[in-house]
Amino acid sequence: MIRLSGISKRYNGSRVALDAVELHVHEGEFAVVTGPSGSGKTTLFRVLIGEEKPDSGTAIVDGRNLSRLDASGLAELRHQLGLVFEEPRLVDRLSIIDNVALAADLAGATRSEARERAAACLDRVGMLGYRDCRPRDLSGGERQFVALARALVNDPVLILADEPTLNLDPDYTLEMMRVLTECCAAGATVFMASHDIEALSVLRCRVLLMNGGRMQSEGFGEPAFL
Amino acid sequence: MSPGSSRQNFSYYLRRAADSIVAAPVVSGVTVSSIAVSVLFMALIVLMGGNAGRMVALWSASGMDVSLYLELDAGEEQVVELKDRLAAYPEVARVNYLSREEAWQFLADNLGDSAELLSGLDSSVLPASLELSLALDADPGSLPARFEEWANLEGVDDLQYNRYELSRRSSALPLVAWLTLGLCAVAGLASLIIVGAGYQLAAYSRREELDVMRLLGAVGNLYWGPILLAGLIEGTAAAGIALGVTLMGYGALSSVVLRQLPLLGEAVAFLSPTEIVRLLGWGAFLGGFGSLIGMWRISKWR
Ligand SMILES: Nc1ncnc2c1ncn2[C@@H]1O[C@H](COP(=O)(O)OP(=O)(O)O)[C@@H](O)[C@H]1O
Ligand SMILES: [Mg+2]
């Protein structure tokens, strides 16, 4: 599902953010990359979603070579990804359900279909009660769950999450890991960047350790969840 | 499934466009007012240019009458047909028939005390004529060709007009037209800069939202379509407002002017339908172009 080889990235003038990264994530796998702040996790995430062009190396996501995709090819790929960021990144002026429906809308669903799927996803993350609220009416944690629902609305083959639990309290963190694990069990591939011990402690999956832009070691998380 | 294709129906664009206008009322207000002011300036220039041109034409109008002398054997039927035919030209405002007797009488009246000079003559020596008053907005440049055409019409013996007045009008009217055009160009350029700056502001206020849309896979028409449509809607609405204001101002001012100077009645007029459509189009263009440029400058989709 994800295959990176020799990916290097150096931001203008600063030190190396990614250094010849090799990564292979199988279809249906749940994999986590961890490491200290500044180790390159977010940069890796941005390369995977096509927001950052690596200086060298090839990135293949869902069978597509990212360096060969034009804008519309990339957009089409994004319709099949579920993205969760550190911040919820909701559109303030849209209601909760419209925020979730937006992703389906952009992927080509009709208005009613998009809203139907949005309602189902909000229900799945326990946020359906807020469907007609605005993002500003919700707490930070609740907003992040709306963002999770939005990531699921197109039934993604691959879920990519960058520090999704950064601003969550422990209960919410647990709940988010539960939903992601559930998605993985249902067939989606999940790749998460996180240095949240709380989140990692409940996962039983492959954990990659990054440091200074390099993949350092690989291990298995403490088996605690499910 | 190709994004940006026509899978999305028009309601998608309309919904997103309306959303984006309503989303930031202050910013939309700024862009709409900047377009409205731009169109208002343009409308005033066009309106004043048009009226100035017609006034210049009006002042020289009396000297611009054209006499078509008819052949002596022209029958009544032929004259009526000729009159209708001439009246149909856009350059012609009015056609009057002057019979031989009327021409004779006219001459006699004008000679006054010296009228006895005519006493030995027969009234039939003077030909009947068609007296044309030209339209105020007739293009002086194309008139000589028209005169030539009319002089060669069946039943017409000779055509006379005041060459001096025509050349005066030919030099004054283009001056007014070029002046109007020049002012339009300056105002247009200034508008593009001001409206562009307004939309840049709008783009900045929506940067996060557009970024989110891009990350969710909005591309091509799906991304640019609503932006363009919102600009077109705002621009047309702003132009409508500006034209409304212009019309109200015109209504108030022209009634005062006409009460004081009723003779100007023929020259004073509001914008023509063509000009109104062009000004609406200019507003729509400012909105559409401004919003695309504004967004393009902050967008990562290039
Ligand atoms: N936009 C940027 N411009 C310059 N340097 C950056 C930028 N983003 C990240 N970096 C640098 O790249 C390195 C990796 O950062 P990042 O990928 O955000 O790490 P992490 O997510 O693991 O904290 C850091 O040294 C950071 O300072
Ligand atoms: Mg990070």
Side-chain angles (χ1 to χ4, degrees), chain B residues 246-265:
Chain B
T246 312
L247 181 61
M248 285 193 308
Y250 168 82
L253 199 67
S254 66
S255 66
V256 173
V257 169
L258 290 182
R259 212 175 308 129
Q260 305 295 326
L261 301 163
L263 281 177
L264 289 180

Side-chain angles (χ1 to χ4, degrees), chain B residues 51-109:
Chain B
N51 280 294
R54 280 188 298 271
M55 278 179 202
V56 168
L58 184 66
W59 271 307
S60 60
S62 54
M64 285 297 297
D65 289 342
V66 176
S67 301
L68 276 168
Y69 296 103
L70 302 171
E71 280 166 3
L72 288 175
D73 57 359
E76 190 183 330
E77 214 168 292
Q78 197 180 9
V79 171
V80 170
E81 193 196 307
L82 203 54
K83 197 178 161 190
D84 290 345
R85 195 156 159 200
L86 287 164
Y89 280 93
E91 291 91 346
V92 176
R94 275 181 308 278
V95 187
N96 280 321
Y97 175 68
L98 203 64
S99 68
R100 290 174 180 184
E101 291 72 27
E102 285 165 334
W104 183 261
Q105 193 54 51
F106 187 72
L107 185 61
D109 289 350

Side-chain angles (χ1 to χ4, degrees), chain B residues 199-211 214 223-224 227 291-302:
Chain B
Y199 271 107
Q200 183 108 16
L201 180 80
Y204 271 110
S205 78
R206 293 181 55 203
R207 194 162 40 169
E208 168 66 12
E209 177 194 335
L210 286 163
D211 240 17
R214 200 170 43 79
Y223 184 78
W224 294 109
I227 295 172
S291 59
L292 282 188
I293 289 293
M295 295 302 163
W296 189 79
R297 290 185 65 172
I298 61 135
S299 178
K300 289 181 191 147
W301 271 154
R302 289 206 173 169

Side-chain angles (χ1 to χ4, degrees), chain B residues 110-246:
Chain B
N110 276 304
L111 286 174
D113 290 343
S114 324
E116 68 261 25
L117 285 174
L118 299 171
S119 56
L121 297 169
D122 181 357
S123 71
S124 65
V125 294
L126 286 178
S129 65
L130 289 173
E131 302 294 327
L132 308 188
S133 301
L134 296 178
L136 291 183
D137 52 4
D139 170 18
S142 68
L143 282 177
R146 278 283 189 253
F147 292 164
E148 179 89 27
E149 195 182 325
W150 294 340
N152 289 322
L153 286 174
E154 188 110 14
V156 176
D157 185 38
D158 190 19
L159 177 144
Q160 287 194 354
Y161 66 95
N162 189 329
R163 276 167 215 280
Y164 173 69
E165 285 293 344
L166 179 67
S167 76
R168 223 167 57 147
R169 201 196 263 209
S170 314
S171 53
L173 284 187
L175 198 70
V176 174
W178 280 109
L179 206 66
T180 307
L181 208 66
L183 286 175
C184 281
V186 172
L189 215 63
S191 306
L192 278 178
I193 293 168
I194 293 168
V195 172
Y199 271 107
Q200 183 108 16
L201 180 80
Y204 271 110
S205 78
R206 293 181 55 203
R207 194 162 40 169
E208 168 66 12
E209 177 194 335
L210 286 163
D211 240 17
V212 171
M213 284 185 62
R214 200 170 43 79
L215 287 170
L216 295 177
V219 71
N221 296 340
L222 291 184
Y223 184 78
W224 294 109
I227 295 172
L228 176 64
L229 188 61
L232 291 177
I233 293 172
E234 287 184 349
T236 313
I241 294 170
L243 287 170
V245 171
T246 312

Side-chain angles (χ1 to χ4, degrees), chain A residues 51 76 78-79 93 105 108, chain B residues 7-8 15 23 209 214 217:
Chain A
E51 276 290 278
E76 199 176 331
R78 285 176 184 172
H79 295 157
R93 62 191 174 75
D105 211 349
Chain B
R7 278 175 304 129
Q8 292 289 356
R15 202 164 65 236
E209 177 194 335
R214 200 170 43 79

